[in-house]
Amino acid sequence: NILTGSCIAGPSSTFVPVIPIAAQQAISGAGAVNVTSWYTAYTTTGADAATLADGVVKGQLKKVQLIVDGGDLTLTPSNLASGTRVTFADAADFVIMVFDGTDWVVIESGNDADGQTSPVIS
């Protein structure tokens, strides 16, 4: 199981990205975003809160996307570089994060529908 092994060192002590191959997760309402799948599709039913535990292995990637906007989604990872939470306000907002062994680091954020808005990291 690659998620329980050590990371593969790359050039200059970087790490190779790891994408879990479990089925995607779908959440509606408040809940916990899993670390066992690559992608989580979120439907909010009001102003919802979600949590995200630390990754399982250095280099693990995670994408979270707001699919149905019934209200803002506030995602609070256990450890997030450059902030404490990510707020999704519009349908199609997404973040892609990598776990660096200590923190989730946002490496991309945006909106697949309008290409203009993106989640706020604070």
Side-chain angles (χ1 to χ4, degrees):
N1 181 342
I2 196 161
L3 289 179
T4 58
S6 60
C7 92
I8 302 167
S12 303
S13 300
T14 60
F15 46 84
V16 175
V18 175
I19 298 175
I21 58 171
Q24 77 177 29
Q25 178 187 29
I27 299 178
S28 180
V33 172
N34 72 30
V35 294
T36 56
S37 64
W38 147 247
Y39 179 73
T40 297
Y42 221 104
T43 296
T44 53
T45 58
D48 290 326
T51 58
L52 176 64
D54 286 342
V56 180
V57 64
K58 187 177 186 179
Q60 180 176 349
L61 293 172
K62 182 68 183 180
K63 180 175 182 179
V64 179
Q65 186 166 30
L66 181 58
I67 300 301
V68 178
D69 180 8
D72 287 358
L73 168 64
T74 302
L75 174 65
T76 305
S78 293
N79 293 288
L80 177 66
S82 302
T84 57
R85 66 182 167 265
V86 180
T87 303
F88 301 75
D90 300 309
D93 278 358
F94 73 90
V95 292
I96 297 175
M97 300 175 283
V98 63
F99 187 67
D100 71 1
T102 304
D103 297 315
W104 285 105
V105 179
V106 176
I107 57 174
E108 183 179 357
S109 66
N111 183 290
D112 283 337
D114 66 18
Q116 302 295 316
T117 61
S118 63
V120 175
I121 301 158
S122 58

